[in-house]
Amino acid sequence: MNPLDPNCPCGSGNSLSQCCGHYHAGTHAPSAELLMRSRYSAYVLGLVDYLVATTLPVQQPALDRDAMAAWSAQSTWLGLEVEGSEVFAGKPEHTQVSFVARWHDDNDEHRHRECSAFVQVDERWFFLDPTVPLKAGRNDPCPCQGGQKFKKCCAPYLNA
């Protein structure tokens, strides 16, 4: 391992600069799975601004940046295992990525399995944060601005 270019925390086996590092530097991830991997790496590296920027824009103001930074800093990250991803056709495109993240903190070692939802808007992927409610009625335009009603767009993926 090159100490100037360590292995990427996402577990891809590639160096950070050849993997998630260029997404952290501003290149948009070309798939939801790569965005999810880069978000895990951002937690490992303490890149809270990246985590906020890759969440659906309408949800960003409600994110608890301090809590995200604290969890990132107070955890020793042990690994990521991507179990799979499912792409759903339609406009805008949605994807669900299943994964297991492991970390250790002052209390214990933890293993968290999650199926995260992502939406592609204007050729850019965003995380749909289930902890930040989208304020929209079923028949309202979707907050992702994908052009559909909320019930036909992001709502089914937030309730999965």
Side-chain angles (χ1 to χ4, degrees), residues 133-149:
L134 288 174
K135 294 180 170 84
R138 290 180 38 80
N139 290 315
D140 290 341
C142 190
C144 80
Q145 300 181 349
Q148 292 190 45
K149 291 181 181 182

Side-chain angles (χ1 to χ4, degrees), residues 13 28 30 47 59 74-75 78-79 82 117 119 121-122 129-130 139 150-151 156 159:
H28 300 307
L47 304 175
Q59 294 179 306
Q74 296 168 4
S75 300
L78 303 174
V82 176
V119 62
V121 180
D122 295 329
D129 192 326
N139 290 315
F150 182 54
K151 68 181 178 185
N159 300 324

Side-chain angles (χ1 to χ4, degrees), residues 68-142:
M68 294 165 76
W71 187 40
S72 173
Q74 296 168 4
S75 300
T76 301
W77 298 91
L78 303 174
L80 173 70
E81 175 190 344
V82 176
E83 296 177 331
S85 63
E86 185 174 0
V87 178
F88 300 94
K91 294 291 179 190
E93 190 171 280
H94 290 81
T95 298
Q96 290 179 321
V97 180
S98 300
F99 65 93
V100 175
R102 296 181 304 108
W103 72 95
H104 186 273
D105 59 23
D106 290 339
N107 298 319
D108 204 355
E109 187 169 311
H110 306 275
R111 181 182 188 277
H112 175 74
R113 184 177 187 280
E114 185 173 318
C115 182
S116 290
F118 298 84
V119 62
Q120 188 179 40
V121 180
D122 295 329
E123 299 185 27
R124 183 171 173 199
W125 285 99
F126 292 99
F127 171 59
L128 293 170
D129 192 326
T131 69
V132 178
L134 288 174
K135 294 180 170 84
R138 290 180 38 80
N139 290 315
D140 290 341
C142 190

